[in-house]
Amino acid sequence: MAINRPRGTNDFLPEDTAKWQAVEELLRGMCRSYGFQEIRTPIFEDTDLFCRGVGATTDIVTKEMYTFEDHGGRSVTLRPENTASACRAFLENKLYGLVQPTKLYYIGPMFRYEKPQAGRFRQFHQFGLEIFGTSAPAADAEIIAFAWDLYQRLGIQGLVLKLNSVGCPKCRAAYRKALQDYFHPHLETLCGSCRDRFERNPLRILDCKSEICQGIGADAPKIQDYLCEDCAGHFEKVQNLLHAAEIPFVIDPHMVRGLDYYTKTAFEIQAGAIGAQSAVCGGGRYDGLIQEIGGDPTPGVGFALGIERIFAALQAQGDDIEVSQDLNVYILVAGGVEASAAAFRLADQLRRAELSVEMDYADKSFKAQMKAANRLGAAMAVIIGDDEVKSGCATVKDMESGEQCSLPFTEIKQYILER
Ligand code: ATP
Ligand code: MG
């Protein structure tokens, strides 16, 4: 019986990978402009890192991790996200000893045991940014601006940037109390998970997916009314910077992150066209995270975006990433061993000059070679036969205009490079 790929994973075939590479190049180029450098951490980590760094009560840790024991009896987990690993690497490699802030980006596969569906996979790919070592509102605004810039460059339409502040542990205590007072009379009506959340983490009731809980939550107190002076000032500065860069946003007072290490800014970007899996990007500030995984208190802010959802959003609006894979040169051989050798030598010289070159391996007919040159979209063809080898020249043909000339082998490279 044939073996298929695991559920929720994808094979990316050459026509896909060309588009992925184009997106990756766009991201890497933007990172150069915005001053982020790449970090690559292991695909698996000590399970504890994610329990602490993602949060032991989150869906990711309770239901979605690929955790197993290795042959040494250690519990390891395929990374479900990359922020915890970036924090660990920041500490383990003492990056805090360098000039701060530290601005990092990552790109790669993440693993979550979720119900596979359109836009939701078990192995998916994230790109993300992290800025460690500054609590400045400009850092929050910068990463939001990056994400916004990216989606504009990709031409994704119908984007909504939702912004909120979740305060800090200090102001959250009063808010938590206010939420409990508000939800208490509705306790019987809330869904089972929210009845749990009521004691443990009432903020999370606000982002429950159930319609009933959302209905009850609609008039719940808003965190803005509870922010301390520091958090309120920070929130205002982030908004002012977004205004300055003409980045439109809506404040969503019920977009929360329930864990203590999330602080101040929270944001999400949604692309309307892709339906249920509409979140293309999410992030915010987590001034308590590095301490949570064992470091000295260090502020941090970051986001992660799903690369598959970029393609889903483009597809939903009938667009695609344009990639040109057209060939520069096809070399046709119309002769014996010597012509083949001359063709091989020329192909080698042209490729060293960074031209893309194809030729036939298998003594195909001249007609079949010409067909291949057309199919591959070759801009130029070079025809080498026995006579050409003798005279030291080859025929060079412009495939679009049909114009052709005979040139000495030694001049072909220069001629093609100039075209
Ligand atoms: P969702 O609400 O869609 O489950 P999330 O809150 O779990 O998203 P994050 O952990 O913030 O998402 O991850 C950031 C981004 O990664 C998401 O906005 C989304 O674009 C993408 N993403 C998350 N989970 C998946 C998945 N299983 N398959 C594909 N992309 C995903
Ligand atoms: Mg999720």
Side-chain angles (χ1 to χ4, degrees), residues 181-201:
D181 292 345
Y182 174 84
F183 282 116
H184 193 259
H186 304 284
L187 208 47
E188 296 305 307
T189 336
L190 292 174
C191 78
S193 333
C194 283
R195 282 201 292 271
D196 274 355
R197 291 174 180 137
F198 180 81
E199 274 307 328
R200 226 172 356 103
N201 196 342

Side-chain angles (χ1 to χ4, degrees), residues 60 64 112 114 120:
I60 293 181
E64 299 175 357
R112 296 184 194 176
E114 297 203 71
R120 193 173 290 286

Side-chain angles (χ1 to χ4, degrees), residues 60 112 114 119-121 124 126 279-282 304-306 309:
I60 293 181
R112 296 184 194 176
E114 297 203 71
R120 193 173 290 286
F121 306 98
F124 62 101
Q126 284 186 337
V280 290
C281 170
L305 64 84
R309 289 191 192 173

Side-chain angles (χ1 to χ4, degrees), residues 118-119 154-159 270-278 280 308-321:
L154 290 164
I156 295 174
Q157 291 150 16
L159 293 174
Q270 294 181 346
I274 54 174
Q277 267 58 253
S278 66
V280 290
E308 282 83 353
R309 289 191 192 173
I310 289 179
F311 290 102
L314 286 173
Q315 202 182 15
Q317 64 188 48
D319 286 338
D320 206 347
I321 303 278

Side-chain angles (χ1 to χ4, degrees), residues 28 45 51 56 58 62 69 72 86 128 183 209 212 217 230 264 299 309 329 336 345 355 368 381 384 395-396:
R28 291 182 198 280
E45 297 266 7
C51 295
T58 57
T62 55
E69 205 170 274
F183 282 116
K209 302 274 190 290
I212 296 174
D230 177 35
K264 299 177 176 164
R309 289 191 192 173
V329 185
R345 188 180 142 90
L355 290 163
I384 302 178
T395 304
V396 181

Side-chain angles (χ1 to χ4, degrees), residues 151-213:
Y151 295 120
Q152 300 305 307
R153 290 187 201 217
L154 290 164
I156 295 174
Q157 291 150 16
L159 293 174
V160 180
L161 165 59
K162 293 184 168 179
L163 187 70
N164 195 23
S165 171
V166 298
C168 60
K170 205 172 68 188
C171 38
R172 228 155 24 216
Y175 182 55
R176 198 187 137 93
K177 173 76 175 51
L179 280 180
Q180 281 178 329
D181 292 345
Y182 174 84
F183 282 116
H184 193 259
H186 304 284
L187 208 47
E188 296 305 307
T189 336
L190 292 174
C191 78
S193 333
C194 283
R195 282 201 292 271
D196 274 355
R197 291 174 180 137
F198 180 81
E199 274 307 328
R200 226 172 356 103
N201 196 342
L203 269 76
R204 285 224 95 109
I205 301 177
L206 295 173
D207 64 9
C208 178
K209 302 274 190 290
S210 129
E211 266 178 40
I212 296 174
C213 301

